[in-house]
Amino acid sequence: MNYEFNWFYVQKSLPDLFDGLLVTLQLTLWANAIGLVFGFLVALGMMSKIKLITWPLTIYIEFFRCTPALIQLVWFFFCVPIIFNVWWSGYFMGILALGLNLAAFNAEAYRAAIQAIPHSHSDASVALGLNAFQRIIHVILPQALILALPVLITNGIGIFQQSALVALISVEDLMYQGRYISTQTFRPIETLTTVALIYFAVSFPVSQAVSYIERRTKRLLAN
Amino acid sequence: MAFVEINGLVKRYGALSIFEGFDLKMEATDRLVLIGPSGCGKSTLLRCMMGLEDIAGGQISLGGKEYIEGAEAGKMRIDAKIQKDVGMVFQHYTLFPHLSVLGNLCLAPTRSRGMKKAIARDKAMELLQRFGLADRADFYPSQLSGGQKQRVAIARALMLDPKLMLFDEVTSALDPELVNEVENTMQDLANAGMPMMIVTHDMHFARNIATKVVFQERGKVIEAAAPDELFGNPQQERTRDFLRNVLHING
């Protein structure tokens, strides 16, 4: 390899990279907000006995789980405006597509968690005079969150990485900035390596935290 | 009218029939213990009284007021206001693991009865004190022994001032050395005058705590009497068979 490293340009464009990181983190947080809340509602809906509720939800979940995130993103960006005659920014479409993708995966995590909650808790809730809403909010949701937490975090950090796809629809995230700088400066190795390291620096501690959290929750919920 | 009245209770699980017209009465001064072979519907009876089971027919009343009326599937009528006067403790631990002991005790009063947090807290501490569990208030259920869990579950039910307590085999899942503390707690409650219905396999305890013992088999009351009579001089052949079996008496 006959390549002379030159970190000057990367150093100079670090502020731009961090601007990109900020956009990436915003996308991640919004997508996770959708994924955590909507995912739980979908999981609850999936427990319904009414087919009119479970069927559309099943189609939604399987569609998002069985197609590439990239096509979902691009489809939202190019097709939604035509079908619904609206124009939303790539940033917003990115959040929507990533959020719905995450919600589909999280719904499965919640569903497994809810099914792991002993049915006797439901009986105890009735005996304590809690109505269905109070039971869901104070008994089911907190336990489902705790049980599903390791998977939810893993999914959430997955979306942090997947969010790099939004660069393709011109959202100025970390990936977008990295590619832009690398072509502008002809320094792909320095720039793209730096970008990769930034993604790694955020993801790695979180994925390490998951196993710790897993141990803690196991202990808390042991009966 | 008796304090608790069950009239013509019908309960079926699909084709399996548990009760076809079951009647039972209990006075407010009674502590009624249900005994009988497993699968005879003792637990189901308590679950019906708590409103946890869909019943196909019959009425259940408490304090002279009917609160559950059976009907065809899904049409059972239930008066939630009176249902709230019934408290229940289960065989399996049902403490909510994500809440501390105090949190478990205060959840229902504050969320479903509109009790102020500080008042619920004081009341909870008072109960825990009485049960000798005050130092466990901030513990989580996973940090408690089985016996402590069941006593907390009893305290949790008492937070709502029930007029009738149902105990469904609350010591069956416990290690033998932990049974006593739970039974003692129940005995204290009995001494304080709480009306109870108890399902248990512990005949010694049944004899001590009961004012009336009901021997039940295949969804029917075979014999009901004061404990000394039922255990000392059972009238029915089937009662004698059952007691001989569980007490391991020969002859």
Side-chain angles (χ1 to χ4, degrees), chain A residues 118-131 134 138-140 142-143 146 219-223, chain B residues 47 50-52 83-84 86 88 90 93-98 107-108 111-113 140 142 149 156-157 160:
Chain A
H119 185 71
S120 57
H121 287 194
S122 207
D123 291 341
S125 302
V126 174
L128 289 168
L130 299 171
N131 64 31
Q134 292 160 342
H138 300 296
V139 178
I140 309 289
Q143 289 194 67
I146 294 169
R219 212 178 313 147
L220 179 67
L221 297 184
N223 231 329
Chain B
R47 293 177 58 81
M50 191 64 251
L52 296 170
Q83 183 192 18
K84 284 183 176 181
V86 183
M88 184 162 181
F90 300 84
Y93 310 130
T94 55
L95 294 184
F96 304 132
H98 61 290
L107 178 68
R111 298 300 177 177
S112 87
R113 309 286 165 96
Y140 281 83
S142 56
K149 279 186 226 180
R156 183 173 70 174
L160 302 166

Side-chain angles (χ1 to χ4, degrees), chain A residues 51-65:
Chain A
K51 287 229 162 76
L52 210 65
I53 296 175
T54 54
W55 273 48
L57 291 177
T58 308
I59 292 169
Y60 155 69
I61 290 177
E62 295 310 328
F63 177 79
F64 273 88
R65 294 199 329 157

Side-chain angles (χ1 to χ4, degrees), chain A residues 115-186:
Chain A
Q115 281 169 349
I117 299 172
H119 185 71
S120 57
H121 287 194
S122 207
D123 291 341
S125 302
V126 174
L128 289 168
L130 299 171
N131 64 31
F133 179 76
Q134 292 160 342
R135 181 172 78 234
I136 287 169
I137 296 296
H138 300 296
V139 178
I140 309 289
L141 175 61
Q143 289 194 67
L145 256 178
I146 294 169
L147 277 166
L149 199 60
V151 183
L152 294 175
I153 295 175
T154 304
N155 289 350
I157 204 68
I159 277 296
F160 167 74
Q161 291 155 17
Q162 298 262 39
S163 76
L165 296 170
V166 298
L168 282 156
I169 54 171
S170 308
V171 178
E172 296 176 4
D173 73 331
L174 177 57
M175 181 69 206
Y176 180 95
Q177 297 285 7
R179 284 212 322 171
Y180 182 79
I181 294 161
S182 77
T183 47
Q184 288 292 303
T185 61
F186 300 105

